[in-house]
Amino acid sequence: MRIGVIGTGRIGTIHANTLSRHREVGSLILTDADPARAAELALRLGETAAPGVDEIFKWGVDAVVITTATSAHAELIGRAARSGLPVFCEKPIALDLPGTLQAIGEVETAGTILQMGFQRRFDAGYAGAREALRAGRLGRLHTVRALTSDQAAPPADYLPLSGGLYRDTLIHDFDALRWVTGREVADVYAAGSDAGGAMFRAAGDVDTAAVVLTLDDGTLATATATRLNGAGYDVRMELAGERDTIVVGLDDRTPIASTEPSGPPAADKPWPGFLERFGPAYEAELAAFVEVVRGERANPCDGHEALQALRVAEACELSRRERRPVRLAEIPGGPETAVV
């Protein structure tokens, strides 16, 4: 199998390394907006560098992995679909609903595959929570608490391109919430703070956010995020039911400290970032993509899944801006709506 990797930045480099080691992947063609960066990575991995995206399609590949800036995702998904190629794409499909719907429509018209990069679906902790809930261990689920806290803010020039904290960061929590519980979000109430630095205000973004979500069966959930968690990278999900309570992301590297005399000590080596925390999950999602391309398994996270997570993020942004609860029915592209 020959795979084209478009984008060799931080996550693209990780994915290229993973695919280059995969026993079912014979070779890679790498390209990037910075050709020198792609050439350097190709040399290091013993793979081929292409001068541009056109060559990925001209030279012939069996599948495409897209890890470019978000602004290029939808166009590249469409181009791959029109070429009849399966695609793995980092989230999101696009930063708006029209672009997302158009790209999904192109994939469906072409009858090709689009697998989205929501790596938490491949994390052992989230998978274990999903299994425990479905096995009835918790009884009736009544409360979910999710959080994503980055240790340090991204570069200032990234913020205006990110789509904002709800679309860039909390969208992972929204996808995990749907996937773990098997429920849809019915409504949200969101708030945000931009008190952390001028660059957030300049980008029209917030550095910290909190959301209250009601699921379609009445379960209540909260989701919080911040760019400024100096203790370390912290991602957790707590699920509380009438019989039991479980937590994802609590281990000896979780960057929290107890004030109780008999509480556990602070982590010696807290997680520094998402690449370290979710390293095995990133490998697993690409292994799944290879299996999907080979026809050995169903797509574990298609474009419609990404669309529903984006709709929750869109509802949160609207709620924060207008300071009111927002029902998901107000946001186009619901699961009952056909994509055209």
Side-chain angles (χ1 to χ4, degrees):
M1 182 184 301
R2 193 182 202 191
I3 297 179
V5 178
I6 306 176
T8 56
R10 182 169 55 170
I11 193 64
T13 296
I14 295 292
H15 287 343
N17 272 277
T18 297
L19 290 168
S20 187
R21 298 192 306 268
H22 197 289
R23 65 182 183 277
E24 300 293 348
V25 178
S27 62
L28 303 178
I29 303 177
L30 312 177
T31 193
D32 191 88
D34 179 356
R37 183 165 65 179
E40 180 182 355
L41 179 60
L43 180 64
R44 189 161 72 244
L45 296 178
E47 304 290 356
T48 302
V53 172
D54 289 347
E55 283 73 18
I56 292 286
F57 295 96
K58 290 178 181 177
W59 293 356
V61 293
D62 300 301
V64 173
V65 170
I66 299 171
T67 59
T68 61
T70 297
S71 58
H73 287 184
E75 190 277 329
L76 290 171
I77 290 170
R79 184 168 183 179
R82 294 189 296 273
S83 299
L85 295 173
V87 175
F88 175 93
C89 185
E90 280 299 321
K91 63 82 191 169
I93 294 174
L95 291 178
D96 59 12
L97 288 168
T100 300
L101 291 165
Q102 180 177 344
I104 293 174
E106 291 214 59
V107 170
E108 294 192 337
T109 297
T112 53
I113 294 165
L114 170 60
Q115 180 182 327
M116 295 303 301
F118 282 103
Q119 85 282 355
R120 295 187 194 183
R121 293 179 177 227
F122 298 88
D123 176 72
Y126 283 96
R130 187 175 191 262
E131 292 166 6
L133 184 59
R134 280 158 174 72
R137 173 178 163 183
L138 279 67
R140 184 186 69 86
L141 180 68
H142 55 72
T143 308
V144 182
R145 293 176 284 270
L147 67 88
T148 296
S149 299
D150 291 328
Q151 183 176 29
D157 58 1
Y158 171 77
L159 291 174
L161 307 175
S162 71
L165 193 59
Y166 300 105
R167 300 184 189 94
D168 183 47
T169 299
L170 275 168
I171 195 168
H172 281 289
D173 296 275
F174 302 150
D175 179 70
L177 178 63
R178 294 182 61 251
W179 185 71
V180 169
T181 65
R183 312 303 310 191
E184 296 294 342
V185 175
D187 59 63
V188 306
Y189 188 88
S193 169
D194 61 4
M199 66 181 185
F200 297 102
R201 293 185 290 278
D205 197 8
V206 295
D207 60 74
T208 304
V211 187
V212 177
L213 311 98
T214 304
L215 306 188
D216 59 9
D217 65 346
T219 300
L220 296 178
T222 61
T224 64
T226 184
R227 303 281 196 184
L228 306 170
N229 197 58
Y233 181 72
D234 191 4
V235 171
R236 278 175 281 140
M237 174 182 278
E238 299 174 13
L239 298 101
E242 293 182 342
R243 294 180 184 171
D244 201 359
T245 298
I246 57 177
V247 59
V248 178
L250 182 61
D251 59 21
D252 60 2
R253 299 192 68 178
T254 305
I256 54 175
S258 173
T259 60
E260 299 296 334
S262 60
D268 288 334
K269 296 180 179 180
W271 295 109
F274 62 90
L275 292 177
E276 295 81 5
R277 166 65 179 85
F278 290 109
Y282 282 118
E283 293 194 11
E285 69 178 356
L286 286 177
F289 178 60
V290 171
E291 292 175 354
V292 170
V293 174
R294 288 170 55 84
E296 296 171 352
R297 66 174 293 175
N299 189 345
C301 188
D302 65 15
H304 288 280
E305 299 293 308
L307 170 62
Q308 299 315 316
L310 178 61
R311 290 180 66 243
V312 179
E314 291 284 333
C316 289
E317 194 60 63
L318 180 61
S319 175
R320 179 184 73 88
R321 190 168 61 247
E322 298 188 356
R323 295 180 175 271
R324 67 174 178 89
V326 173
R327 292 193 58 79
L328 264 290
E330 298 179 47
I331 309 300
E336 72 287 345
T337 303
V339 176
V340 294

